[in-house]
């Protein structure tokens, strides 16, 4: 898989002796979580994993060399059962995902490290990452942090409809890949589908509201796209990824410096 993680910040490139020499209290290890799943006719299965790697790699490149932050190899397989029925989607169950990340957290704690950040770029993993962050804190005493997607980057120029319901393989993901891996984007095979419209405010929403309905992509979108990629540009992908990377770098810096008010 293509990577943008600076070699000097790639944990898996270290020897155990180099790991042993890292400051245990302050070193922050970042575990990327993503997915291998259908992304419509025009984007590759690895889209969420590539975006994770791109944004985290750019963020790590912004950090001063003395800040002890390292990227762990990603958990590429996620809970993607919303995309079952599309060949190529490789999903793990919630139980498997929880067990894998928990075991990695246990290994990090066993190595004497105190700080772990979970950086997730696949929506289907989000609620599991929330559970894991607290459980790793409670069970192993790790200072656990979580980061999601583009970390609140503003996406200037994106329509309100796309912002609200461009869930999957829409303008933003397509722009990121047009910037990062244009050879993997089939620009002659765009499709658009929306799960809901902002001008029709039904009581039940697909997510993020007090009353939701559980959705499967195949119920809504024959192509697998939830959003509209047609306005995506490489220039926006570059600008948005730089803005997201700045936010991620700021968050990682805050995590390294984080001192709890009470306790160990
Ligand atoms: Zn995606």
């Amino acid at each position: 898989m293509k990577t943008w993680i600076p070699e000097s910040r790639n944990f898996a490139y270290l020897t155990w002796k180099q790991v042993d020499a890292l400051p245990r209290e302050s070193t922050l290890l970042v575990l990327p979580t993503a997915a291998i799943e259908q992304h419509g006719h025009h984007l590759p299965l690895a889209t969420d994993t590539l975006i994770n790697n791109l944004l985290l790699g750019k963020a790590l490149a912004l950090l001063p060399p003395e800040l002890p932050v390292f990227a762990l190899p990603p958990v590429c397989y996620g809970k993607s059962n919303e995309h079952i029925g599309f060949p190529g989607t490789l999903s793990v169950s919630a139980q498997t995902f929880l067990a894998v990340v928990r075991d990695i957290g246990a290994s990090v704690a066993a190595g004497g490290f105190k700080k772990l950040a979970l950086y997730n770029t696949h929506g289907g993993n989000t609620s599991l990452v929330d559970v894991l962050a607290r459980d790793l804190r409670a069970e192993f005493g790790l200072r656990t942090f979580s980061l999601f997607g583009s970390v609140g980057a503003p996406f200037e120029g994106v329509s309100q409809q796309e912002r609200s319901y461009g869930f999957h393989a829409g303008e933003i993901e397509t722009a990121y890949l047009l910037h990062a891996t244009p050879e993997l984007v089939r620009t002659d095979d765009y499709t658009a589908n929306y799960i809901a419209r902002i001008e029709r405010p039904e009581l039940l929403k697909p997510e993020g509201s007090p009353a939701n309905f559980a959705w499967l992509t195949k119920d809504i979108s024959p192509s697998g796209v939830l959003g509209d990629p047609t306005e995506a540009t490489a220039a926006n992908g570059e600008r948005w990824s730089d803005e997201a990377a700045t936010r991620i770098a700021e968050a990682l810096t805050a995590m390294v410096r984080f001192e709890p008010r009470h306790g160990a």
Side-chain angles (χ1 to χ4, degrees):
M1 190 89 65
K2 195 166 170 179
T3 187
W4 292 264
I5 304 291
E7 283 194 15
S8 63
R9 296 207 177 266
N10 191 330
F11 188 79
Y13 287 177
L14 300 175
T15 67
W16 78 263
K17 292 293 283 181
Q18 288 173 305
V19 172
D20 198 32
L22 296 172
R24 295 295 202 282
E25 294 293 328
S26 56
T27 295
L28 175 69
L29 302 180
V30 184
L31 179 64
T33 59
I36 303 292
E37 63 185 21
Q38 73 80 19
H39 269 76
H41 297 173
H42 70 288
L43 293 180
L45 304 171
T47 294
D48 291 355
T49 305
L50 289 165
I51 291 171
N52 192 307
N53 200 289
L54 171 75
L55 301 185
L56 181 59
K58 283 191 176 200
L60 292 174
L62 295 174
L63 298 179
E66 66 276 10
L67 209 70
V69 182
F70 294 88
L72 302 176
V75 177
C76 295
Y77 301 107
K79 181 176 176 292
S80 296
N81 55 351
E82 70 273 37
H83 299 298
I84 283 299
F86 294 88
T89 296
L90 304 178
S91 180
V92 298
S93 68
Q95 290 77 6
T96 300
F97 185 86
L98 290 167
V100 167
V101 176
R102 181 189 175 279
D103 286 357
I104 294 168
S107 301
V108 165
F113 293 97
K114 306 283 190 252
K115 292 188 172 181
L116 177 67
L118 307 175
Y119 174 42
N120 179 54
T121 50
H122 165 55
N125 297 339
T126 301
S127 48
L128 302 179
V129 167
D130 286 336
V131 167
L132 281 157
R134 176 150 297 118
D135 283 4
L136 291 171
R137 170 81 194 119
E139 204 169 338
F140 302 112
L142 283 170
R143 283 277 158 224
T144 315
F145 306 92
S146 52
L147 275 165
F148 297 95
S150 303
V151 194
F155 300 121
E156 208 180 301
V158 176
S159 73
Q160 202 50 53
Q161 172 64 26
E162 184 68 12
R163 255 170 220 279
S164 301
Y165 296 116
F167 283 178
H168 187 73
E171 181 177 350
I172 293 165
E173 290 192 333
T174 303
Y176 280 153
L177 263 62
L178 282 173
H179 161 54
T181 56
E183 69 281 8
L184 298 181
V185 183
R186 301 168 66 96
T187 52
D188 53 354
D189 226 349
Y190 287 164
T191 60
N193 287 279
Y194 282 116
I195 194 168
R197 308 269 343 172
I198 49 169
E199 67 271 21
R200 280 198 271 117
E202 294 91 348
L203 174 62
L204 299 180
K205 300 278 193 335
E207 51 192 65
S209 79
N212 300 309
F213 63 90
W215 55 274
L216 294 175
T217 305
K218 67 179 180 190
D219 296 340
I220 300 135
S221 169
S223 73
V225 171
L226 299 167
D228 185 351
T230 49
E231 299 294 316
T233 66
N236 278 342
E238 179 170 21
R239 183 161 53 92
W240 295 336
S241 61
D242 288 343
E243 288 168 359
T246 301
R247 287 166 178 257
I248 294 166
E250 286 169 0
L252 294 174
T253 303
M255 291 170 189
V256 171
R257 302 213 172 111
F258 181 78
E259 292 290 345
R261 211 165 278 235
H262 301 288

